[in-house]
Amino acid sequence: LPRPAQDLLYIVKVKALATRAGFSSLGQEEGQLVLRLREGLALDIPHLPFPGQPWLKASPHQLRLDLKRLGSRWPGMLERLLKAMGGKP
């Protein structure tokens, strides 16, 4: 597939995983990828995947992934994180 088609398929896949994991939005702010939980949900921060990683910051209602720290690994790490949080089909 051409690169633009691959990118579009990745976006659709990540949005589906994020929805299954309880997130309502996914966006970029100040060099970070920000995932916000649906209203009424809260993260169980002590039990998040990848504990202690400097690229992952959590609050009860959102996750932030530091894109600079992750570099080119961010797409794969985002997908692994969402799958580990219950986003598996």
Side-chain angles (χ1 to χ4, degrees):
L1 286 173
R3 184 65 188 191
Q6 291 176 17
D7 292 345
L8 182 59
L9 289 175
Y10 176 78
I11 291 168
V12 170
K13 180 179 186 177
V14 164
K15 285 190 175 202
L17 290 170
T19 299
R20 287 187 197 109
F23 292 97
S24 62
S25 70
L26 178 71
Q28 187 175 346
E29 296 175 11
E30 300 175 10
Q32 297 181 337
L33 190 59
V34 180
L35 294 94
R36 290 188 174 82
L37 279 178
R38 285 192 303 261
E39 191 172 330
L41 297 179
L43 291 170
D44 185 7
I45 295 172
H47 296 101
L48 286 176
F50 310 110
Q53 292 297 316
W55 52 265
L56 181 63
K57 302 289 183 211
S59 67
H61 304 286
Q62 70 178 5
L63 288 177
R64 290 180 172 264
L65 284 74
D66 188 322
L67 297 174
K68 184 176 180 181
R69 285 184 187 248
L70 282 169
S72 63
R73 299 177 306 142
W74 77 263
M77 294 306 290
L78 173 60
E79 192 172 335
R80 286 178 56 198
L81 177 66
L82 291 172
K83 284 180 178 179
M85 293 183 70
K88 295 178 184 174

